[in-house]
Amino acid sequence: QVQLVESGGGLVQAGGSLRLSCAASGSTFSINTWGWYRQAPGKQRELVARISSRGVTYYVDAVKGRFTISRDNAKNTVYLQMNSLKPEDTAVYYCNAFPTREAYWGQGTQVTVSS
């Protein structure tokens, strides 16, 4: 089993930055690729970025050039650096494996960007 705890969210003005962290514990060796996801009010949860065990990254177009995903395997932690935030980035952010595993969803961390 894997437990995931997201942190680092908050309220920030448009143009600001936040760094999210996802601390993983348990059988993390079973996860090759990690992803950050978000769910805005009234919308479905969506993939934001992912990173493979080799460090290969992927970003959705909406965040390309603004967000950076990284991982520290020694600390079992995945990060999401978010710069130039926009009001449309407002959502609850989650980490999970990619593809997702239902049992791994944590509480997420709220990111609110004011205009």
Side-chain angles (χ1 to χ4, degrees):
Q1 191 57 284
V2 171
Q3 295 78 42
L4 303 174
V5 178
E6 301 93 346
S7 62
L11 173 63
V12 63
Q13 289 188 332
S17 298
L18 286 172
R19 188 194 194 205
L20 306 184
S21 298
C22 171
S25 60
S27 304
T28 57
F29 60 85
S30 65
I31 300 175
N32 176 40
T33 299
W34 287 96
W36 276 100
Y37 305 81
R38 68 185 179 187
Q39 187 167 20
K43 295 187 177 181
Q44 289 190 333
R45 189 150 38 192
E46 62 175 355
L47 174 70
V48 174
R50 66 177 188 253
I51 184 168
S52 74
S53 59
R54 295 185 177 183
V56 177
T57 58
Y58 164 84
Y59 301 93
V60 296
D61 287 345
V63 307
K64 265 180 197 174
R66 301 189 297 120
F67 290 12
T68 303
I69 188 171
S70 61
R71 60 192 292 172
D72 185 331
N73 293 328
K75 295 183 178 180
N76 282 337
T77 302
V78 183
Y79 304 97
L80 187 67
Q81 177 67 44
M82 306 187 296
N83 300 328
S84 302
L85 282 161
K86 303 176 180 180
E88 51 264 44
D89 294 319
T90 294
V92 179
Y93 284 71
Y94 304 85
C95 63
N96 202 317
F98 178 85
T100 62
R101 302 186 189 182
E102 191 62 32
Y104 293 177
W105 291 114
Q107 294 300 308
T109 185
Q110 175 71 47
V111 171
T112 303
V113 184
S114 63
S115 57

